[in-house]
């Protein structure tokens, strides 16, 4: 992170390396779940952790806040997580499409709002600020105002679970 710590997510919690020792965090310290699958740091230095089918934990340097279905996250199943340049965080969901978290406000994007599928497997923001989400055989692009979909030209047996991981 920007403070120089290295964060490691595991199936039994979260560990922070300070260069000399690990400090362990778990549900005891406020994580929503101990099985950590994704980690990202937003533009303000806040850390986000996605847990297996349990939603998100946000670390502000002192404590964890939880983002789950119980408090507004469209789904607890998180496939993708990354920071946007505007300070928000984008979340690709296993069910419910995608979500953008800005502060405590959560905005859901689903097929009814123009997203190409009801799930998002991977995502990224490109150099022009366009948000991309990968689905099974297609991608959704959000320009800040509206969504568009791209069908991907791929072999019938191709696996595209991480089609835009390298943007």
């Amino acid at each position: 992170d920007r403070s120089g710590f290295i964060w490691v997510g595991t199936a039994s919690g979260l560990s922070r390396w300070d260069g000399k020792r690990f400090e362990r965090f778990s549900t005891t310290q406020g994580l929503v779940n101990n099985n950590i699958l994704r980690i990202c740091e937003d533009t303000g230095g806040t850390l986000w952790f996605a847990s297996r089918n349990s939603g998100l934990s946000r670390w502000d340097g002192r404590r964890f806040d939880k983002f789950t279905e119980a408090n507004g996250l469209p789904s607890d199943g998180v496939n993708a997580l990354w920071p946007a340049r505007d300070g928000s965080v984008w979340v690709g969901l296993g069910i419910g499409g995608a979500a953008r978290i800005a502060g405590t406000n959560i905005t859901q994007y689903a097929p009814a709002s123009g997203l190409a599928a009801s799930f998002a497997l991977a995502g990224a923001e490109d150099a022009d600020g366009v948000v991309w989400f990968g689905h099974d055989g297609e991608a959704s692009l959000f320009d800040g105002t509206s969504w568009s979909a791209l069908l991907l030209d791929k072999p019938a047996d191709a696996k595209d679970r991480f089609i835009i991981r390298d943007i």
Side-chain angles (χ1 to χ4, degrees), residues 137-158:
E138 58 194 334
S140 295
L141 289 76
F142 184 66
D143 64 7
T145 304
S146 62
W147 289 93
S148 58
L150 293 175
L151 290 177
L152 303 173
D153 185 19
K154 64 174 185 142
D157 62 347

PDB file of all heavy atoms in Angstrom, residues 137-158:
ATOM      1  N   GLY A 137     -18.289 -14.199 -22.987  1.00  0.00           N
ATOM      2  CA  GLY A 137     -18.428 -13.959 -24.416  1.00  0.00           C
ATOM      3  C   GLY A 137     -18.693 -12.532 -24.822  1.00  0.00           C
ATOM      4  O   GLY A 137     -18.879 -12.241 -26.002  1.00  0.00           O
ATOM      5  N   GLU A 138     -18.727 -11.621 -23.880  1.00  0.00           N
ATOM      6  CA  GLU A 138     -18.948 -10.220 -24.217  1.00  0.00           C
ATOM      7  C   GLU A 138     -18.348  -9.310 -23.149  1.00  0.00           C
ATOM      8  O   GLU A 138     -17.955  -9.749 -22.085  1.00  0.00           O
ATOM      9  CB  GLU A 138     -20.436  -9.939 -24.401  1.00  0.00           C
ATOM     10  CG  GLU A 138     -21.284 -10.268 -23.209  1.00  0.00           C
ATOM     11  CD  GLU A 138     -22.771 -10.286 -23.552  1.00  0.00           C
ATOM     12  OE1 GLU A 138     -23.188  -9.605 -24.494  1.00  0.00           O
ATOM     13  OE2 GLU A 138     -23.503 -10.991 -22.850  1.00  0.00           O
ATOM     14  N   ALA A 139     -18.289  -8.047 -23.484  1.00  0.00           N
ATOM     15  CA  ALA A 139     -17.785  -7.047 -22.540  1.00  0.00           C
ATOM     16  C   ALA A 139     -18.776  -5.891 -22.494  1.00  0.00           C
ATOM     17  O   ALA A 139     -19.453  -5.595 -23.479  1.00  0.00           O
ATOM     18  CB  ALA A 139     -16.413  -6.533 -22.975  1.00  0.00           C
ATOM     19  N   SER A 140     -18.869  -5.238 -21.352  1.00  0.00           N
ATOM     20  CA  SER A 140     -19.677  -4.033 -21.181  1.00  0.00           C
ATOM     21  C   SER A 140     -18.741  -2.860 -20.966  1.00  0.00           C
ATOM     22  O   SER A 140     -17.753  -2.977 -20.249  1.00  0.00           O
ATOM     23  CB  SER A 140     -20.592  -4.158 -19.959  1.00  0.00           C
ATOM     24  OG  SER A 140     -21.545  -5.160 -20.130  1.00  0.00           O
ATOM     25  N   LEU A 141     -19.053  -1.726 -21.589  1.00  0.00           N
ATOM     26  CA  LEU A 141     -18.254  -0.513 -21.454  1.00  0.00           C
ATOM     27  C   LEU A 141     -19.139   0.602 -20.918  1.00  0.00           C
ATOM     28  O   LEU A 141     -20.260   0.794 -21.407  1.00  0.00           O
ATOM     29  CB  LEU A 141     -17.698  -0.080 -22.806  1.00  0.00           C
ATOM     30  CG  LEU A 141     -16.604  -0.919 -23.437  1.00  0.00           C
ATOM     31  CD1 LEU A 141     -17.174  -2.194 -24.025  1.00  0.00           C
ATOM     32  CD2 LEU A 141     -15.928  -0.125 -24.513  1.00  0.00           C
ATOM     33  N   PHE A 142     -18.644   1.330 -19.926  1.00  0.00           N
ATOM     34  CA  PHE A 142     -19.383   2.445 -19.344  1.00  0.00           C
ATOM     35  C   PHE A 142     -18.546   3.707 -19.490  1.00  0.00           C
ATOM     36  O   PHE A 142     -17.435   3.797 -18.979  1.00  0.00           O
ATOM     37  CB  PHE A 142     -19.668   2.169 -17.862  1.00  0.00           C
ATOM     38  CG  PHE A 142     -20.509   3.211 -17.195  1.00  0.00           C
ATOM     39  CD1 PHE A 142     -21.825   3.412 -17.569  1.00  0.00           C
ATOM     40  CD2 PHE A 142     -19.992   3.982 -16.176  1.00  0.00           C
ATOM     41  CE1 PHE A 142     -22.623   4.371 -16.948  1.00  0.00           C
ATOM     42  CE2 PHE A 142     -20.766   4.939 -15.531  1.00  0.00           C
ATOM     43  CZ  PHE A 142     -22.082   5.133 -15.921  1.00  0.00           C
ATOM     44  N   ASP A 143     -19.091   4.701 -20.192  1.00  0.00           N
ATOM     45  CA  ASP A 143     -18.364   5.936 -20.459  1.00  0.00           C
ATOM     46  C   ASP A 143     -18.636   7.033 -19.432  1.00  0.00           C
ATOM     47  O   ASP A 143     -18.238   8.172 -19.598  1.00  0.00           O
ATOM     48  CB  ASP A 143     -18.670   6.445 -21.865  1.00  0.00           C
ATOM     49  CG  ASP A 143     -20.129   6.845 -22.061  1.00  0.00           C
ATOM     50  OD1 ASP A 143     -20.909   6.863 -21.072  1.00  0.00           O
ATOM     51  OD2 ASP A 143     -20.507   7.136 -23.211  1.00  0.00           O
ATOM     52  N   GLY A 144     -19.312   6.673 -18.352  1.00  0.00           N
ATOM     53  CA  GLY A 144     -19.680   7.646 -17.333  1.00  0.00           C
ATOM     54  C   GLY A 144     -21.124   8.073 -17.435  1.00  0.00           C
ATOM     55  O   GLY A 144     -21.695   8.631 -16.499  1.00  0.00           O
ATOM     56  N   THR A 145     -21.731   7.795 -18.594  1.00  0.00           N
ATOM     57  CA  THR A 145     -23.124   8.154 -18.829  1.00  0.00           C
ATOM     58  C   THR A 145     -23.969   6.951 -19.210  1.00  0.00           C
ATOM     59  O   THR A 145     -25.053   6.751 -18.690  1.00  0.00           O
ATOM     60  CB  THR A 145     -23.224   9.207 -19.955  1.00  0.00           C
ATOM     61  OG1 THR A 145     -22.416  10.324 -19.602  1.00  0.00           O
ATOM     62  CG2 THR A 145     -24.652   9.661 -20.151  1.00  0.00           C
ATOM     63  N   SER A 146     -23.456   6.154 -20.140  1.00  0.00           N
ATOM     64  CA  SER A 146     -24.244   5.021 -20.629  1.00  0.00           C
ATOM     65  C   SER A 146     -23.356   3.805 -20.885  1.00  0.00           C
ATOM     66  O   SER A 146     -22.134   3.915 -21.004  1.00  0.00           O
ATOM     67  CB  SER A 146     -24.989   5.403 -21.910  1.00  0.00           C
ATOM     68  OG  SER A 146     -24.064   5.741 -22.924  1.00  0.00           O
ATOM     69  N   TRP A 147     -24.004   2.655 -20.980  1.00  0.00           N
ATOM     70  CA  TRP A 147     -23.335   1.381 -21.220  1.00  0.00           C
ATOM     71  C   TRP A 147     -23.445   0.997 -22.683  1.00  0.00           C
ATOM     72  O   TRP A 147     -24.435   1.297 -23.340  1.00  0.00           O
ATOM     73  CB  TRP A 147     -23.998   0.272 -20.393  1.00  0.00           C
ATOM     74  CG  TRP A 147     -23.741   0.383 -18.939  1.00  0.00           C
ATOM     75  CD1 TRP A 147     -24.527   1.011 -18.010  1.00  0.00           C
ATOM     76  CD2 TRP A 147     -22.621  -0.130 -18.216  1.00  0.00           C
ATOM     77  NE1 TRP A 147     -23.958   0.911 -16.765  1.00  0.00           N
ATOM     78  CE2 TRP A 147     -22.789   0.209 -16.861  1.00  0.00           C
ATOM     79  CE3 TRP A 147     -21.490  -0.853 -18.582  1.00  0.00           C
ATOM     80  CZ2 TRP A 147     -21.881  -0.146 -15.875  1.00  0.00           C
ATOM     81  CZ3 TRP A 147     -20.582  -1.222 -17.606  1.00  0.00           C
ATOM     82  CH2 TRP A 147     -20.787  -0.855 -16.265  1.00  0.00           C
ATOM     83  N   SER A 148     -22.454   0.292 -23.181  1.00  0.00           N
ATOM     84  CA  SER A 148     -22.526  -0.352 -24.484  1.00  0.00           C
ATOM     85  C   SER A 148     -21.921  -1.741 -24.339  1.00  0.00           C
ATOM     86  O   SER A 148     -21.161  -2.003 -23.412  1.00  0.00           O
ATOM     87  CB  SER A 148     -21.810   0.466 -25.561  1.00  0.00           C
ATOM     88  OG  SER A 148     -20.462   0.669 -25.209  1.00  0.00           O
ATOM     89  N   ALA A 149     -22.286  -2.633 -25.257  1.00  0.00           N
ATOM     90  CA  ALA A 149     -21.816  -4.011 -25.171  1.00  0.00           C
ATOM     91  C   ALA A 149     -21.011  -4.363 -26.409  1.00  0.00           C
ATOM     92  O   ALA A 149     -21.291  -3.880 -27.510  1.00  0.00           O
ATOM     93  CB  ALA A 149     -23.001  -4.963 -25.035  1.00  0.00           C
ATOM     94  N   LEU A 150     -20.004  -5.182 -26.216  1.00  0.00           N
ATOM     95  CA  LEU A 150     -19.198  -5.715 -27.314  1.00  0.00           C
ATOM     96  C   LEU A 150     -19.259  -7.228 -27.264  1.00  0.00           C
ATOM     97  O   LEU A 150     -18.999  -7.827 -26.218  1.00  0.00           O
ATOM     98  CB  LEU A 150     -17.728  -5.304 -27.158  1.00  0.00           C
ATOM     99  CG  LEU A 150     -17.360  -3.845 -27.291  1.00  0.00           C
ATOM    100  CD1 LEU A 150     -15.877  -3.663 -26.975  1.00  0.00           C
ATOM    101  CD2 LEU A 150     -17.657  -3.359 -28.686  1.00  0.00           C
ATOM    102  N   LEU A 151     -19.597  -7.843 -28.393  1.00  0.00           N
ATOM    103  CA  LEU A 151     -19.482  -9.288 -28.494  1.00  0.00           C
ATOM    104  C   LEU A 151     -18.048  -9.607 -28.828  1.00  0.00           C
ATOM    105  O   LEU A 151     -17.435  -8.949 -29.669  1.00  0.00           O
ATOM    106  CB  LEU A 151     -20.418  -9.828 -29.571  1.00  0.00           C
ATOM    107  CG  LEU A 151     -21.901  -9.752 -29.248  1.00  0.00           C
ATOM    108  CD1 LEU A 151     -22.726 -10.242 -30.436  1.00  0.00           C
ATOM    109  CD2 LEU A 151     -22.225 -10.573 -28.012  1.00  0.00           C
ATOM    110  N   LEU A 152     -17.497 -10.603 -28.176  1.00  0.00           N
ATOM    111  CA  LEU A 152     -16.104 -10.956 -28.377  1.00  0.00           C
ATOM    112  C   LEU A 152     -15.983 -12.038 -29.437  1.00  0.00           C
ATOM    113  O   LEU A 152     -16.726 -13.015 -29.426  1.00  0.00           O
ATOM    114  CB  LEU A 152     -15.492 -11.448 -27.064  1.00  0.00           C
ATOM    115  CG  LEU A 152     -15.592 -10.460 -25.907  1.00  0.00           C
ATOM    116  CD1 LEU A 152     -15.115 -11.104 -24.629  1.00  0.00           C
ATOM    117  CD2 LEU A 152     -14.809  -9.211 -26.208  1.00  0.00           C
ATOM    118  N   ASP A 153     -15.057 -11.840 -30.357  1.00  0.00           N
ATOM    119  CA  ASP A 153     -14.778 -12.837 -31.375  1.00  0.00           C
ATOM    120  C   ASP A 153     -13.804 -13.831 -30.769  1.00  0.00           C
ATOM    121  O   ASP A 153     -12.638 -13.512 -30.543  1.00  0.00           O
ATOM    122  CB  ASP A 153     -14.169 -12.156 -32.602  1.00  0.00           C
ATOM    123  CG  ASP A 153     -13.953 -13.111 -33.746  1.00  0.00           C
ATOM    124  OD1 ASP A 153     -14.582 -14.177 -33.752  1.00  0.00           O
ATOM    125  OD2 ASP A 153     -13.147 -12.780 -34.637  1.00  0.00           O
ATOM    126  N   LYS A 154     -14.282 -15.037 -30.486  1.00  0.00           N
ATOM    127  CA  LYS A 154     -13.452 -16.010 -29.796  1.00  0.00           C
ATOM    128  C   LYS A 154     -13.765 -17.416 -30.293  1.00  0.00           C
ATOM    129  O   LYS A 154     -14.871 -17.674 -30.754  1.00  0.00           O
ATOM    130  CB  LYS A 154     -13.670 -15.937 -28.293  1.00  0.00           C
ATOM    131  CG  LYS A 154     -15.080 -16.319 -27.888  1.00  0.00           C
ATOM    132  CD  LYS A 154     -15.225 -16.377 -26.396  1.00  0.00           C
ATOM    133  CE  LYS A 154     -16.617 -16.892 -26.079  1.00  0.00           C
ATOM    134  NZ  LYS A 154     -16.676 -17.750 -24.984  1.00  0.00           N
ATOM    135  N   PRO A 155     -12.815 -18.320 -30.182  1.00  0.00           N
ATOM    136  CA  PRO A 155     -13.094 -19.719 -30.502  1.00  0.00           C
ATOM    137  C   PRO A 155     -14.164 -20.267 -29.569  1.00  0.00           C
ATOM    138  O   PRO A 155     -14.280 -19.833 -28.425  1.00  0.00           O
ATOM    139  CB  PRO A 155     -11.761 -20.429 -30.268  1.00  0.00           C
ATOM    140  CG  PRO A 155     -10.741 -19.356 -30.231  1.00  0.00           C
ATOM    141  CD  PRO A 155     -11.440 -18.087 -29.810  1.00  0.00           C
ATOM    142  N   ALA A 156     -14.945 -21.224 -30.029  1.00  0.00           N
ATOM    143  CA  ALA A 156     -16.048 -21.772 -29.246  1.00  0.00           C
ATOM    144  C   ALA A 156     -15.596 -22.364 -27.919  1.00  0.00           C
ATOM    145  O   ALA A 156     -16.341 -22.350 -26.950  1.00  0.00           O
ATOM    146  CB  ALA A 156     -16.790 -22.818 -30.067  1.00  0.00           C
ATOM    147  N   ASP A 157     -14.372 -22.885 -27.851  1.00  0.00           N
ATOM    148  CA  ASP A 157     -13.906 -23.525 -26.619  1.00  0.00           C
ATOM    149  C   ASP A 157     -13.046 -22.608 -25.749  1.00  0.00           C
ATOM    150  O   ASP A 157     -12.459 -23.044 -24.775  1.00  0.00           O
ATOM    151  CB  ASP A 157     -13.134 -24.802 -26.942  1.00  0.00           C
ATOM    152  CG  ASP A 157     -11.879 -24.536 -27.765  1.00  0.00           C
ATOM    153  OD1 ASP A 157     -11.729 -23.413 -28.290  1.00  0.00           O
ATOM    154  OD2 ASP A 157     -11.053 -25.449 -27.876  1.00  0.00           O
ATOM    155  N   ALA A 158     -12.976 -21.320 -26.081  1.00  0.00           N
ATOM    156  CA  ALA A 158     -12.113 -20.392 -25.331  1.00  0.00           C
ATOM    157  C   ALA A 158     -12.683 -20.105 -23.949  1.00  0.00           C
ATOM    158  O   ALA A 158     -13.877 -20.033 -23.755  1.00  0.00           O
ATOM    159  CB  ALA A 158     -11.952 -19.092 -26.104  1.00  0.00           C
TER     160      ALA A 158
END
